[in-house]
Amino acid sequence: MDAITSLLVPIHREGTRFIIAFAIATLILFLIWAPLGWLGVVLTAWCVYFFRDPDRLTPQRAGLVIAPADGVVNMITEAAPPPELGLGETPRPRVSIFMNVFNCHVNRIPIAGRVTRTAYRPGKFLNADLDKASEENERAAIAIETEDGKTFVAVQIAGLVARRIVSDAVEGQSYETGERYGIIRFGSRVDVYLEPGMSPLVSVGQTAIAGETVLADTDSSEGRREALVR
């Protein structure tokens, strides 16, 4: 029943043409040989599942940094944000979330604020699970400034299978925490750069849910309580 429910959620617009293509291919496969047609049915169902765009219940307290992607926290380290954003070379805490081909790939704004900079950089398509993917892979980065002047960064990174990053974030526009802003297909990673000195409230190996999981808090004492609640 859970699998059926997952297939009935809204579909991201980027998936429409892929689902139609898979469905047409499935009909052709049925004409060629029925067993191949059933394989096409399975692949079409997976395509629908991949492009699902479910609603999420985003925590509303100001100052919370929320996961921008579904997946597993595969790295937490200190690193300078992408140079194309012009934010300097000071290392910041970086939380990396790896998305496999079964995760929902719709990405969400990690914290409410105004997008002050967007930048795209072409690159390689290394396994997104590798640390060097943050520097060498194709990526799209946004810088978000909160009302109290703090700056956070979200970076969509292409992976081994991913061949398209879609970012709808617009420079100068304000967004709410958890608001949808893009998608990556198929299998990839999203890095979140926190303010220098902030402590992540997640750990490596933890599963993150886009728009719901708290990654960090600008108020560390409140953040610890929030982590315990979740």
Side-chain angles (χ1 to χ4, degrees):
M1 181 61 69
D2 289 341
I4 295 175
T5 302
S6 296
L7 289 172
L8 295 178
V9 300
I11 302 301
H12 193 278
R13 66 181 185 280
E14 280 288 316
T16 303
R17 63 182 180 275
F18 287 95
I19 295 169
I20 292 174
F22 271 66
I24 292 173
T26 296
L27 291 176
I28 294 173
L29 290 175
F30 267 119
L31 294 174
I32 297 173
W33 189 38
L36 286 178
W38 286 111
L39 175 61
V41 169
V42 172
L43 293 175
T44 302
W46 169 79
C47 189
V48 173
Y49 183 73
F50 179 87
F51 285 105
R52 67 196 185 279
D53 186 10
D55 292 328
R56 295 288 166 80
L57 298 175
T58 302
Q60 295 300 308
R61 186 168 63 74
L64 295 179
V65 183
I66 307 299
D70 284 11
V72 174
V73 177
N74 70 326
M75 274 181 282
I76 297 177
T77 187
E78 293 270 337
E84 58 267 26
L85 291 177
L87 296 176
E89 300 180 358
T90 301
R92 294 164 170 256
R94 186 185 74 197
V95 179
S96 300
I97 300 174
F98 176 74
M99 297 176 282
N100 63 38
V101 294
F102 296 104
N103 291 128
C104 175
H105 275 54
V106 176
N107 302 139
R108 296 170 180 265
I109 296 291
I111 190 168
R114 184 174 63 90
V115 172
T116 57
R117 183 75 185 270
T118 64
Y120 167 79
R121 200 206 73 168
K124 300 178 181 179
F125 296 96
L126 303 174
N127 186 344
D129 201 27
L130 300 175
D131 184 33
K132 60 183 178 181
S134 292
E135 299 177 356
E136 299 185 22
N137 279 21
E138 175 179 321
R139 65 187 182 225
I142 62 173
I144 304 166
E145 185 177 300
T146 62
E147 287 187 352
D148 56 359
K150 295 181 174 64
T151 300
F152 296 85
V153 173
V155 186
Q156 297 167 291
I157 301 172
L160 187 64
V161 186
R163 285 298 183 270
R164 178 167 169 76
I165 297 173
V166 177
S167 176
D168 298 322
V170 178
E171 284 189 17
Q173 185 168 317
S174 294
Y175 294 86
E176 296 298 323
T177 305
E179 189 172 345
R180 299 168 176 86
Y181 84 98
I183 189 172
I184 317 175
R185 60 172 201 253
F186 295 88
S188 43
R189 188 170 114 199
V190 177
D191 288 346
V192 177
Y193 293 79
L194 307 175
E195 277 274 297
M198 287 187 67
S199 297
L201 299 175
V202 290
S203 56
V204 173
Q206 181 175 337
T207 298
I209 300 175
E212 294 189 359
T213 301
V214 177
L215 299 184
D217 192 340
T218 56
D219 182 336
S220 59
S221 61
E222 285 293 329
R224 283 192 289 272
R225 288 195 290 273
E226 188 76 30
L228 290 174
V229 171
R230 294 187 66 80

